[in-house]
Amino acid sequence: MELSKFSVGYEGREVFWNAENFEGLLFAFTAVALAIFGYGIYGRWQMWKALGKPETRNDNLKERIKLLLLNGVLQVKTFKDIYPGIMHGLIFFGFFVLIFGAAFDATEFHIAEPLGVPFLTGKFYLIFSFLMDLFGLFVLIGVLMAADRRYITKPDRLGYKGEMDNTPDDAIVLLLLGGIIVTGFIIEALRIHVTNPPWEVWSFAGYTLSKAFASVDNGTAKTLHKITWWVHTFISLGFIAYIPYSRLLHIITTPANHFMSSLKPAGYLEPIRDFETAESFGTGQLEDFSWKQIFDSDACTRCGRCQDGCPAYLSGKHLSPKKLVQDIKTYWLERAPLIVAAKKAAGKAGEGATVEIPAPEKAMVGEVVNLHELWDCTNCMYCMEHCSSSIEHVPKIVGMRQYKVLMEADFAPELQLTFRNMENNSNPWGVGSHLRADWAKDLGIKTLAEDPNVEYLFYVGCSGSFDDRGKKVSMAFAKILQIAGVSFGILGTEEGCCGDSAMRGGNEYLSQTLMQTNIEIMNGYGVKKIICTCPHGYNTLKKDYPHFGGNYEVYHHTEIIADLIAQGKIILKKPVDGLFTFHDSCFLGRYNNIYTQPRSILKALTGMNLAEMERRYDKSFCCGAGGGRMWMEEHDGERINNMRTDQAIATNAHTIAVACPFCLTMMTDGLKARSMEEKIASLDIAEIVWRAMDIEEVKPPVDVCAPTE
Amino acid sequence: MNIVACVKQVPDTETLIKVKPDRSGIDETGIKWVMNPYDEFGVEEALRLKEKLSGEVIIVSVGPARALETIRTALAMGAERGIHIVDPALDSADPFTIASALAAAIKNIPYDIIFCGQRAIDDDCGQVGAILAELLGIPQVTVITKVDVDGNTIKVTRPIEGAQLIIESSLPCVVTAQKGLNEPRYASLPGIMKAKKKPVDVKDAASLGVSIDVKAKITKTLPPPARPPGKIICGEDPAEKARELARLLREEAKVI
Ligand code: SF4
Ligand code: SF4
């Protein structure tokens, strides 16, 4: 045993034990590693700012710092998915603590000890040692879990259509991480073996491992220790130097991306404001993205959470949000260095020299991102809600659609027809616009033209006005309002399409025309509060209309009904039968955080048995109709609505309750496709409530062949 | 290649058509106007030929001031310029007069092919293309679903019952477009923006030297008769019901 200044009661260890003379070399190597790191980051910095349109993401610092702390430091978004969350948390928090530990060590050695005030001693030292070992072990467990996922369990999300997207980099990073910890433990074990102080049981991992060296003599152990010490040092410095050149870069880009998260309402799309002057619309080139949209792709960790709930991907279509982001990144990695070089060359040529950027070799839209992928997206927002790096997929997709629609007018013929119908009759089906209010004919509902002095405008929307199922929902809801004594009116034939499908289908020009027409009429009547039965209208009236001077308080009918029930204004007399399940609509849930209101309505019904689907709340599975997909053919893979219907059927429910006319159509079609329409009903919450109010006798279907007396 | 495409503005098929109380015509309030779909096939074909063979597409339309919107739609699709013949005297003119006005405007400009819709979906006359060719003294190929231009000749396909006629003609010639000729394009946004600035010549009958020589006049416009109620065949035995259906189709509806 070696002599030491430490003893029981004055526990501690010599920080540079057996490595006393290595300090100089260590500094030199550290400097080299930091230089390599700095060089890499500098290069990347040049690439980040090389291209992309301007966008402000440093406003509202308070909110941004909060997001950074929550998602970057506390890993809230990462923990949303338990197992991988724990895996990453072990590595992240483990390293976090270890780095602090190393800083303590360094402070002790370089500052505290020379000043004669060592602090890594006694109880503090013991706890410190214990924690270091504990968190080291955490990292090791995390690394093993990660290796297990990547190389043994292989969940689909770490690949694309059955093919793992593993790269050598993934293995190198895991080896580096594991290597740092393992060599760290060996160093500790050898030191304990040689110095063998009684208190080192606190360094439980190193202590246990030291038993493995029991037969090694001190001399050999010290040599081994020196070797391992250098190996550990090199791996650690290598790790630092490797950061900018590997997936480890996410240590920087991901928290930065959390800091630069969109602070706009969920699903926000920036409107095009310069139709008259701009030459190009939408995203046709990489350069047409904003710098932040490009930076996003450098923050992607390929974790695959987005893909895990993407209805397009899971139904066997081309699109995977992960792949989309990665494809943009790969293309950026090709393009950005050329642009950096071109800028440098122009800089050398002096003031005023033009930057000669080489023409792109492939089409951004069509080749980098193929057209199937582009049009597969339902804008369901699953990807954005669950991305652990706060990446914004949907605006990128809509931007590229805008390019195809507005610039090239090259898109699915059925969508062209839909747009024409919206242009000519202000509804996607192209039904004559004079028929818009026919559903309300016998209900005694006043239009705002007849009486503008009402509290609410009931904005019915296209499905509620023209679709046979939708019309029944409108009637049910209008009757509920009438019974509850709510003061409301409709626009009648003056109402127009809300513009959501046009906007998300890339036709921003048409959508703005539709929105402005509605706004003109609504403002003309001095509308202040609006109720929508369709979450698409609800979302767009609430979030997009303000851009064009339409500022209203917008409510979804489930919010209103929940409130009326709570106030006792509607009485649910008749008990309901059978098992119910509720399908969360994307535009209600993920877009607007309305999860509890529809459920509270259902739970207010006597006899309600609610069986939840596995994918629910913010993990709900899209019905397939969002993002303009309602109007498009579904050529590839399984039909999304059938998949969702299957999930509903799996609950054994007798009624699928929905709160969106698109979802209603999709579930109804799904039930037909599965030949379940006789056994399971799909109903809007308004219809369920209206029936339970038991005011109108439900007429049995008329038997046309019954003998007349 | 100089191509002319004639277009007519018509009410959208889904729009509510109300006959004026005095039965002199339809009440135009609240009508959504669109380009006659058959004319649109013609415009699209004209644009495709231009894109292949280079040249210019000129849109010609007879109609009141609102018809300018339809000309702009065609310009947004990619045509170069337009001629708008506006004259109150032409507003309810017969096909012959309309064709005369078109002929007067077209004979002053160079043309190799003239596209018209095979008929307009509002009055369903289907005469303008034919009369136009006659007035210009050039050949006509009508109700066409395929067009190939080769030098100075044109080869077209005309579907007839159970067969297709392949017809060749020299140029210039009038082609009237039938559904199936193509899928008209959706105008791009730069197209729409540019169309606002493209030149449209406005002419009236006098400036074209057309004498209004009305040969046919609409004396009365009547709404279609209300549809008689449907019939439901009742019974237990499907075979019996089918027999009854067949009988009714043969004896009452006289369709089989
Ligand atoms: S919005 Fe939905 S459909 Fe579109 S990429 Fe994201 S998860 Fe997939
Ligand atoms: S986009 Fe987000 S969720 Fe998807 S793989 Fe990348 S980091 Fe993960």
Side-chain angles (χ1 to χ4, degrees):
Chain A
M1 206 212 291
E2 297 204 353
L3 278 179
S4 160
K5 60 182 180 210
F6 299 106
S7 59
V8 176
Y10 186 72
E11 295 86 350
R13 70 172 163 86
E14 281 171 50
V15 174
F16 264 92
W17 180 81
N18 200 32
E20 295 83 359
N21 311 322
F22 297 163
E23 204 187 338
L25 270 178
L26 177 65
F27 275 146
F29 288 132
T30 307
V32 172
L34 287 177
I36 299 175
F37 170 83
Y39 178 78
I41 295 294
Y42 174 74
R44 206 67 169 194
W45 174 263
Q46 299 287 324
M47 284 165 67
W48 289 329
K49 60 182 196 126
L51 67 172
K53 292 186 171 163
E55 190 179 354
T56 309
R57 289 294 175 111
N58 56 5
D59 52 334
N60 199 347
L61 279 183
K62 224 169 107 193
E63 185 61 20
R64 296 193 176 282
I65 290 170
K66 201 174 109 197
L67 285 168
L68 177 66
L69 292 178
L70 279 179
N71 296 321
V73 181
L74 296 179
Q75 305 264 299
V76 172
K77 279 196 143 192
T78 317
F79 277 120
K80 263 178 123 179
D81 209 353
I82 303 293
Y83 187 86
I86 291 178
M87 175 201 95
H88 189 265
L90 287 171
I91 300 176
F92 175 81
F93 290 109
F95 254 94
F96 207 79
V97 170
L98 292 184
I99 286 169
F100 266 100
F104 272 23
D105 271 345
T107 317
E108 172 82 356
F109 185 75
H110 297 293
I111 301 169
E113 263 186 6
L115 291 179
V117 282
F119 61 91
L120 265 181
T121 54
K123 284 242 163 49
F124 181 71
Y125 170 74
L126 295 182
I127 296 169
F128 175 78
S129 303
F130 174 76
L131 287 178
M132 287 293 122
D133 273 30
L134 183 67
F135 281 85
L137 206 60
F138 283 172
V139 174
L140 203 57
I141 295 170
V143 168
L144 289 175
M145 283 165 82
D148 168 64
R149 275 169 72 74
R150 196 160 282 287
Y151 302 105
I152 300 169
T153 331
K154 298 187 181 173
D156 182 75
R157 68 151 75 159
L158 295 183
Y160 175 73
K161 299 198 183 282
E163 190 127 332
M164 291 293 284
D165 39 36
N166 294 351
T167 60
D169 178 45
D170 297 324
I172 295 171
V173 166
L174 287 178
L175 286 172
L176 285 174
L177 287 169
I180 291 173
I181 302 301
V182 171
T183 52
F185 279 143
I186 295 177
I187 297 170
E188 186 177 50
L190 287 166
R191 176 179 55 78
I192 294 172
H193 171 64
V194 176
T195 58
N196 199 19
W199 57 82
E200 285 293 11
V201 277
W202 285 85
S203 305
F204 64 96
Y207 179 79
T208 314
L209 191 61
S210 73
K211 303 290 174 222
F213 297 108
S215 56
V216 181
D217 67 82
N218 275 3
T220 320
K222 284 183 88 170
T223 316
L224 271 178
H225 177 271
K226 280 202 169 65
I227 297 171
T228 323
W229 193 93
W230 276 116
V231 173
H232 178 76
T233 303
F234 273 116
I235 302 179
S236 306
L237 294 178
F239 179 88
I240 294 170
Y242 192 49
I243 290 175
Y245 310 92
S246 67
R247 61 173 301 134
L248 291 171
L249 184 62
H250 85 271
I251 297 174
I252 293 162
T253 53
T254 302
N257 221 41
H258 289 309
F259 177 81
M260 298 187 293
S261 296
S262 167
L263 303 179
K264 298 274 168 46
Y268 177 87
L269 296 173
E270 184 64 30
I272 298 177
R273 297 178 198 269
D274 48 358
F275 283 121
E276 300 296 331
T277 48
E279 307 251 300
S280 167
F281 307 96
T283 308
Q285 303 283 340
L286 190 60
E287 289 86 328
D288 294 336
F289 280 128
S290 77
W291 65 266
K292 168 61 172 61
Q293 290 183 309
I294 298 172
F295 185 85
D296 261 3
S297 62
D298 211 16
C300 172
T301 59
R302 287 189 280 122
C303 73
R305 284 156 204 256
C306 51
Q307 184 177 295
D308 235 16
C310 170
Y313 179 80
L314 294 180
S315 62
K317 299 181 186 22
H318 298 260
L319 173 65
S320 148
K322 174 182 75 177
K323 180 172 172 293
L324 179 105
V325 172
Q326 283 298 319
D327 288 344
I328 294 173
K329 175 171 173 172
T330 310
Y331 186 51
W332 169 72
L333 287 176
E334 280 169 31
R335 291 281 295 156
L338 301 180
I339 294 169
V340 172
K343 282 191 172 172
K344 222 179 253 169
K348 268 195 198 127
E351 273 301 289
T354 46
V355 185
E356 302 231 359
I357 296 164
E361 280 167 27
K362 2 180 192 194
M364 168 77 209
V365 187
E367 286 179 283
V368 176
V369 174
N370 80 43
L371 296 181
H372 291 291
E373 295 174 272
L374 185 59
W375 292 103
D376 281 344
C377 175
T378 68
N379 280 213
C380 78
M381 280 285 276
Y382 184 96
C383 49
M384 286 177 62
E385 172 91 27
H386 294 281
C387 175
S388 54
S389 303
S390 296
I391 286 166
E392 297 153 31
H393 313 69
V394 176
K396 295 194 211 347
I397 292 174
V398 175
M400 289 186 277
R401 286 181 177 184
Q402 285 170 346
Y403 179 77
K404 288 310 282 183
V405 172
L406 300 176
M407 293 304 291
E408 299 192 334
D410 171 21
F411 56 104
E414 67 271 18
L415 198 58
Q416 298 192 14
L417 181 67
T418 306
F419 291 161
R420 276 169 190 255
N421 289 337
M422 291 173 176
E423 285 162 11
N424 294 340
N425 284 295
S426 204
N427 71 77
W429 291 279
V431 181
S433 52
H434 60 285
L435 300 174
R436 192 173 260 274
D438 275 16
W439 66 273
K441 258 198 295 207
D442 307 322
L443 298 180
I445 303 170
K446 287 214 170 116
T447 60
L448 294 200
E450 288 159 349
D451 179 10
N453 297 318
V454 288
E455 187 179 2
Y456 293 100
L457 163 67
F458 172 20
Y459 173 84
V460 187
C462 297
S463 289
S465 303
F466 297 105
D467 177 68
D468 282 339
R469 281 298 280 113
K471 284 193 255 187
K472 289 192 184 149
V473 178
S474 305
M475 289 187 218
F477 181 60
K479 288 190 272 189
I480 295 173
L481 291 180
Q482 286 173 328
I483 297 287
V486 177
S487 146
F488 77 101
I490 57 173
L491 288 173
T493 51
E494 286 188 282
E495 186 184 281
C497 174
C498 69
D500 166 78
S501 286
M503 177 172 73
R504 297 188 175 273
N507 201 339
E508 176 81 8
Y509 183 65
L510 172 59
S511 73
Q512 288 195 16
T513 315
L514 295 168
M515 290 180 196
Q516 274 156 353
T517 312
N518 278 329
I519 290 170
E520 216 166 279
I521 289 168
M522 291 174 183
N523 288 355
Y525 287 122
V527 169
K528 301 217 168 47
K529 298 183 187 177
I530 302 179
I531 314 174
C532 303
T533 42
C534 176
H536 295 264
Y538 168 68
N539 186 67
T540 198
L541 262 75
K542 189 163 141 185
K543 297 176 187 168
D544 302 308
Y545 278 46
H547 294 312
F548 312 108
N551 295 296
Y552 319 106
E553 261 174 58
V554 191
Y555 298 93
H556 187 248
H557 72 312
T558 54
E559 295 178 283
I560 299 291
I561 296 177
D563 202 42
L564 292 175
I565 294 176
Q567 288 180 33
K569 294 212 172 134
I570 50 184
I571 316 287
L572 306 168
K573 282 186 280 198
K574 196 164 144 195
V576 292
D577 282 334
L579 195 59
F580 283 67
T581 190
F582 176 67
H583 163 71
D584 285 286
S585 143
C586 307
F587 279 74
L588 213 51
R590 281 188 287 268
Y591 276 79
N592 288 295
N593 214 11
I594 297 185
Y595 298 110
T596 49
Q597 293 89 329
R599 287 181 172 81
S600 79
I601 298 171
L602 290 175
K603 284 178 188 150
L605 292 154
T606 325
M608 170 56 60
N609 281 311
L610 188 64
E612 291 279 8
M613 285 186 256
E614 196 185 316
R615 292 182 186 264
R616 58 180 182 269
Y617 290 90
D618 62 349
K619 292 211 166 158
S620 177
F621 193 78
C622 176
C623 73
R629 293 281 338 166
M630 176 79 179
W631 320 106
M632 298 180 70
E633 303 284 348
E634 204 172 330
H635 296 293
D636 301 313
E638 170 80 286
R639 292 189 63 90
I640 295 174
N641 65 320
N642 290 348
M643 289 179 68
R644 184 52 167 170
T645 310
D646 288 339
Q647 296 166 16
I649 294 173
T651 63
N652 294 319
H654 303 101
T655 304
I656 307 173
V658 299
C660 167
F662 286 7
C663 299
L664 185 59
T665 304
M666 288 310 204
M667 294 299 110
T668 309
D669 288 355
L671 287 172
K672 279 190 203 137
R674 296 293 188 247
S675 303
M676 293 296 270
E677 74 269 35
E678 304 276 321
K679 299 191 193 86
I680 304 178
S682 55
L683 293 171
D684 189 275
I685 289 204
E687 296 176 294
I688 298 171
V689 167
W690 177 244
R691 288 185 191 181
M693 284 164 74
D694 199 21
I695 284 172
E696 211 174 46
E697 229 181 285
V698 183
K699 292 184 212 113
V702 189
D703 181 0
V704 288
C705 291
T708 44
E709 275 149 47
Chain B
M1 173 140 302
N2 295 303
I3 309 168
V4 173
C6 303
V7 299
K8 181 180 186 184
Q9 190 180 46
V10 297
D12 181 75
T13 41
E14 292 297 322
T15 225
L16 176 67
I17 303 290
K18 280 179 292 197
V19 172
K20 282 191 202 158
D22 66 359
R23 300 184 164 185
S24 62
I26 60 164
D27 178 359
E28 292 193 357
T29 48
I31 284 187
K32 171 75 199 176
W33 298 95
V34 298
M35 190 192 304
N36 175 37
Y38 294 106
D39 298 347
E40 207 173 342
F41 297 132
V43 172
E44 176 64 33
E45 201 62 21
L47 294 172
R48 290 188 189 186
L49 284 180
K50 175 194 82 175
E51 279 154 15
K52 210 158 76 189
L53 308 166
S54 87
E56 204 183 33
V57 174
I58 303 172
I59 305 299
V60 187
S61 182
V62 180
R66 58 171 158 75
L68 179 62
E69 209 186 302
T70 294
I71 297 176
R72 295 267 177 231
T73 306
L75 297 179
M77 287 168 75
E80 272 62 33
R81 60 195 179 94
I83 300 176
H84 185 186
I85 308 166
V86 201
D87 200 314
L90 291 169
D91 276 358
S92 49
D94 67 335
F96 182 82
T97 315
I98 301 290
S100 314
L102 289 174
I106 294 170
K107 72 172 194 285
N108 298 327
I109 53 175
Y111 59 86
D112 297 300
I113 304 182
I114 301 168
F115 282 100
C116 296
Q118 55 110 336
R119 64 191 159 95
I121 59 159
D122 53 354
D123 59 20
D124 260 348
C125 288
Q127 300 173 22
V128 168
I131 301 173
L132 175 63
E134 213 43 44
L135 292 174
L136 293 172
I138 58 172
Q140 54 178 293
V141 283
T142 56
V143 199
I144 297 309
T145 55
K146 191 169 187 295
V147 171
D148 276 313
V149 173
D150 185 9
N152 214 26
T153 57
I154 183 171
K155 198 158 97 182
V156 297
T157 304
R158 179 186 218 262
I160 55 169
E161 210 174 312
Q164 288 187 328
L165 298 180
I166 311 290
I167 308 167
E168 262 184 32
S169 161
S170 60
L171 292 178
C173 116
V174 169
V175 179
T176 74
Q178 166 68 322
K179 186 174 162 66
L181 180 59
N182 52 44
E183 274 302 328
R185 71 194 58 194
Y186 194 83
S188 73
L189 188 52
I192 296 171
M193 293 301 166
K194 272 191 232 140
K196 294 184 182 172
K197 297 189 199 103
K198 286 182 179 170
V200 177
D201 273 354
V202 182
K203 307 259 176 174
D204 59 11
S207 69
L208 289 170
V210 196
S211 59
I212 313 266
D213 172 18
V214 177
K215 299 200 184 296
K217 216 170 158 177
I218 296 172
T219 53
K220 219 195 288 176
T221 306
L222 298 173
R227 235 201 294 171
K231 194 169 250 178
I232 294 165
I233 303 166
C234 295
E236 290 299 314
D237 179 20
E240 185 60 40
K241 287 164 82 177
R243 231 185 324 274
E244 177 64 3
L245 174 64
R247 189 188 68 77
L248 289 172
L249 287 174
R250 180 183 293 274
E251 291 170 16
E252 277 190 24
K254 298 197 167 58
V255 291
I256 51 171

